Amino acid sequence: NAGVMQNPRHLVRRRGQEARLRCSPMKGHSHVYWYRQLPEEGLKFMVYLQKENIIDESGMPKERFSAEFPKEGPSILRIQQVVRGDSAAYFCASSPGTGNTEAFFGQGTRLTVV
Amino acid sequence: GEDVEQSLFLSVREGDSSVINCTYTDSSSTYLYWYKQEPGAGLQLLTYIFSNMDMKQDQRLTVLLNKKDKHLSLRIADTQTGDSAIYFCAESIYNQGGKLIFGQGTELSVKP
């Protein structure tokens, strides 16, 4: 059973480009969470999704950021018109459901905006 | 509000015990977690404790929870150089799904 898979591991974008980060949850997991880790900081919650639904997006910046978790395929975190301040590590976690105690994390995507 | 605080650095000698501390503010925490992050890697769940427990032991790891003081600690016995990493405590809040609130991490340095 593969763990949470994120790709790409590293992504370099120029200012103004779009960044697409992908997360495939563990098999059997229908809940996905995205977190952002700025340099020298802890992880900050961004968004919580179930299949085809956004449950909690209270941590998402109001503009340029969006997330989806379609019925088929991975969850996507999309950042439009990236700026230098978007440079960070973006982690995805999955769990089977809200009652479960364990969320398993992917290896992260390290986004660098140049 | 929700806030989790940790000291930023801890240095110990190999073979000693390490104690990493964490305080949190939200009294409606359900579970509290310890994660380990090695350089350039993701987060590895080490252990977790339900909020109505006060202690949990798992091999070299001991978690102590003082709910009255909202204080959580992780003790690593016989610390090894391979334990050098950043350790994050995190809490999940009742009725907020599985969302986790993380501390800023404690960098543990183990010297031979």
Side-chain angles (χ1 to χ4, degrees):
Chain A
N1 186 7
V4 178
M5 303 299 291
Q6 289 189 248
N7 68 81
R9 291 289 308 276
H10 300 274
L11 182 61
V12 179
R13 284 287 176 265
R14 293 189 183 282
R15 281 178 296 170
Q17 290 185 319
E18 179 180 286
R20 277 180 172 252
L21 289 63
R22 292 174 185 75
C23 169
S24 296
M26 287 181 70
K27 189 174 180 182
H29 287 194
S30 58
H31 296 239
V32 165
Y33 307 82
W34 285 93
Y35 292 84
R36 176 164 65 176
Q37 185 179 31
L38 294 169
E40 312 294 325
E41 291 188 16
L43 280 75
K44 301 292 186 192
F45 169 77
M46 298 180 77
V47 63
Y48 162 36
L49 308 105
Q50 294 177 24
K51 286 282 187 183
E52 300 184 279
N53 283 305
I54 297 174
I55 307 302
D56 179 352
E57 56 182 348
S58 58
M60 287 281 268
K62 295 278 186 280
E63 297 176 347
R64 301 187 298 108
F65 285 71
S66 61
E68 62 176 9
F69 189 15
K71 189 176 177 183
E72 302 289 338
S75 175
I76 306 283
L77 178 67
R78 184 177 172 217
I79 311 172
Q80 295 178 291
Q81 298 171 338
V82 295
V83 300
R84 289 232 170 95
D86 297 332
S87 295
Y90 292 82
F91 289 96
C92 168
S94 75
S95 71
T98 55
N100 191 274
T101 56
E102 296 184 16
F104 294 88
F105 280 79
Q107 295 293 300
T109 293
R110 280 152 182 85
L111 172 66
T112 303
V113 180
V114 296
Chain B
E2 306 151 350
D3 197 17
V4 178
E5 297 278 338
Q6 297 178 241
S7 53
L8 294 182
F9 300 101
L10 177 65
S11 180
V12 301
R13 292 214 170 271
E14 193 173 20
D16 288 350
S17 291
S18 308
V19 179
I20 303 171
N21 294 301
C22 172
T23 57
Y24 59 97
T25 56
D26 200 307
S27 56
S28 55
S29 297
T30 50
Y31 290 91
L32 294 125
Y33 303 80
W34 284 104
Y35 284 87
K36 177 183 180 183
Q37 185 181 35
E38 295 183 69
L43 273 73
Q44 175 194 353
L45 177 64
L46 290 176
T47 187
Y48 61 90
I49 187 168
F50 187 47
S51 58
N52 71 352
M53 296 171 64
D54 50 23
M55 187 180 102
K56 181 178 180 181
Q57 187 149 5
D58 184 0
Q59 300 183 333
R60 292 191 297 125
L61 305 179
T62 303
V63 178
L64 296 178
L65 175 60
N66 181 327
K67 197 167 182 181
K68 174 175 166 289
D69 294 340
K70 299 191 182 69
H71 181 266
L72 181 75
S73 68
L74 173 70
R75 179 176 179 268
I76 306 172
D78 187 25
T79 315
Q80 303 297 307
T81 53
D83 295 323
S84 293
I86 299 177
Y87 291 79
F88 292 96
C89 72
E91 60 172 347
S92 62
I93 310 296
Y94 174 73
N95 215 24
Q96 289 197 23
K99 164 184 166 183
L100 297 178
I101 311 297
F102 282 86
Q104 60 271 63
T106 298
E107 183 175 348
L108 174 65
S109 173
V110 183
K111 300 191 184 325

